[in-house]
């Protein structure tokens, strides 16, 4: 049985669990639970959206005032730290892991489009859908 875990780290962290290539569960957790979730599931591979792989802050606008730019930088810095945490936890547990840049993950999918693309018929939020899409190409990996 192959278990792949997709993660979209953030203040609301999305998780997507694939078993033998099939999407079986979506969840949203708080960042402090990332390590516990990985340790509890012990997947064969973790694939996560890695903000460190994108050179610019995609949510900062050119005309943003200094306060908004600092808030965006703090937010990106937090996500960068959670990406590092995922890498370290996986290394400690001997789990293969790798990050995918937000751009490489592709455009965000709405619930209807996501259902058509993945076959997922249950409810989902954007964080969960992003977690699933980041791991989608690897869902059948061993």
């Amino acid at each position: 049985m192959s278990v792949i875990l997709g993660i979209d780290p953030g203040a609301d962290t999305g998780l997507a669990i694939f078993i033998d290539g099939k999407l079986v569960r979506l969840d949203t957790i708080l960042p402090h639970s990332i390590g516990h979730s990985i340790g509890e599931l012990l997947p064969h591979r973790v694939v996560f959206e890695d903000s460190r792989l994108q050179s610019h802050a995609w949510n900062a606008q050119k005309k943003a005032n200094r306060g908004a730019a600092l808030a965006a930088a703090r937010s990106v810095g937090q996500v960068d730290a959670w990406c590092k945490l995922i890498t370290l936890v996986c290394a400690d547990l001997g789990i293969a892991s790798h990050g995918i840049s937000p751009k490489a993950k592709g455009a965000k999918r709405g619930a209807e489009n996501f259902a058509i693309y993945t076959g997922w018929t249950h409810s989902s939020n954007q964080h969960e859908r992003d977690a699933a899409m980041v791991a989608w190409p690897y869902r059948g990996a061993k």
Side-chain angles (χ1 to χ4, degrees):
M1 176 172 70
S2 173
V3 179
I4 307 298
L5 176 61
I7 302 177
D8 175 35
D12 293 312
T13 295
L15 299 180
I17 301 168
F18 294 88
I19 297 179
D20 293 332
K22 180 178 168 65
L23 179 58
V24 298
R25 185 169 149 202
L26 294 175
D27 263 324
T28 302
I29 62 170
L30 295 174
H32 72 275
S33 297
I34 292 172
H36 175 75
S37 295
I38 294 170
E40 185 178 85
L41 185 60
L42 292 176
H44 295 94
R45 175 178 302 275
V46 172
V47 185
F48 59 98
E49 185 172 293
D50 192 342
S51 56
R52 301 170 299 173
L53 299 176
Q54 193 152 319
S55 62
H56 65 282
W58 55 92
N59 60 348
Q61 298 178 9
K62 288 182 180 183
K63 295 183 181 181
N65 66 32
R66 181 167 167 75
L70 289 172
R74 255 190 309 280
S75 177
V76 171
Q78 288 175 337
V79 175
D80 287 355
W82 295 324
C83 291
K84 183 176 181 178
L85 171 72
I86 293 166
T87 302
L88 293 171
V89 168
C90 289
D92 282 350
L93 295 172
I95 298 170
S97 69
H98 65 278
I100 303 296
S101 77
K103 185 176 181 179
K105 176 201 56 137
K108 295 195 177 290
R109 292 181 181 269
E112 186 176 319
N113 179 273
F114 181 77
I116 293 167
Y117 191 80
T118 65
W120 184 257
T121 59
H122 307 286
S123 65
S124 64
N125 64 41
Q126 191 61 61
H127 308 293
E128 295 165 348
R129 292 190 295 270
D130 284 351
M133 294 317 301
V134 77
W136 184 258
Y138 306 93
R139 67 191 182 280
K142 298 289 182 195

